Amino acid sequence: HVQLVESGGGSVQAGGSLTLSCEISGHPYDEFCVGWFRQPPGKKREGIASIHTSGDGILYADSVKGRFTVSQDTGKNMIKLRMDSLEVDDSAMYYCAAGITRCVSTINALAVIMHYWGQGTQVTVS
């Protein structure tokens, strides 16, 4: 039974940084494509980053490229999303998701391969 648990959200001033974490359990760790998504109130969900737990598959949406960095801590079965230079428009509920598959080549197709979702963590930038 695959489970994803996010942590690390909170409130920050514009220009600040936050790091989100997503702990994965319930299946051999090295077989997942993991995605980060966000959904502001009243807006569509957006895929913003991906990484495969084998180490490849790193993609970013244009909206976060150069400011967000996805990485992993294999010793803790954890995917991280480092968010720098945060802007008010980055405020959203952030979700990690995973699929037991290779990652896709375009960020817009990421949601299609995600079968497991975390509960979400709120990020508020003011």
Side-chain angles (χ1 to χ4, degrees):
H1 177 59
V2 175
Q3 287 189 306
L4 291 82
V5 178
E6 300 111 333
S7 59
S11 296
V12 65
Q13 290 190 332
S17 299
L18 280 175
T19 298
L20 307 182
S21 297
C22 176
E23 185 176 6
I24 304 172
S25 62
H27 187 84
Y29 175 77
D30 62 351
E31 298 185 0
F32 290 102
C33 180
V34 180
W36 284 99
F37 297 79
R38 66 184 182 185
Q39 187 167 21
K43 295 187 179 181
K44 290 175 62 176
R45 185 181 62 198
E46 175 189 20
I48 58 172
S50 71
I51 184 170
H52 197 275
T53 48
S54 65
D56 59 12
I58 294 178
L59 289 176
Y60 297 99
D62 288 344
S63 58
V64 305
K65 198 173 293 183
R67 300 188 298 122
F68 290 12
T69 304
V70 63
S71 64
Q72 61 178 327
D73 183 339
T74 57
K76 297 181 179 179
N77 287 5
M78 191 173 286
I79 300 294
K80 295 182 180 285
L81 184 70
R82 166 85 179 185
M83 306 184 294
D84 295 315
S85 302
L86 282 162
E87 303 167 355
V88 173
D89 286 349
D90 293 319
S91 298
M93 185 69 78
Y94 282 70
Y95 300 89
C96 70
I100 303 173
T101 182
R102 303 303 305 169
C103 284
V104 291
S105 58
T106 58
I107 198 76
N108 290 339
L110 187 61
V112 174
I113 63 168
M114 300 288 108
H115 295 118
Y116 307 99
W117 291 80
Q119 80 285 359
T121 186
Q122 180 68 40
V123 171
T124 302
V125 185
S126 59

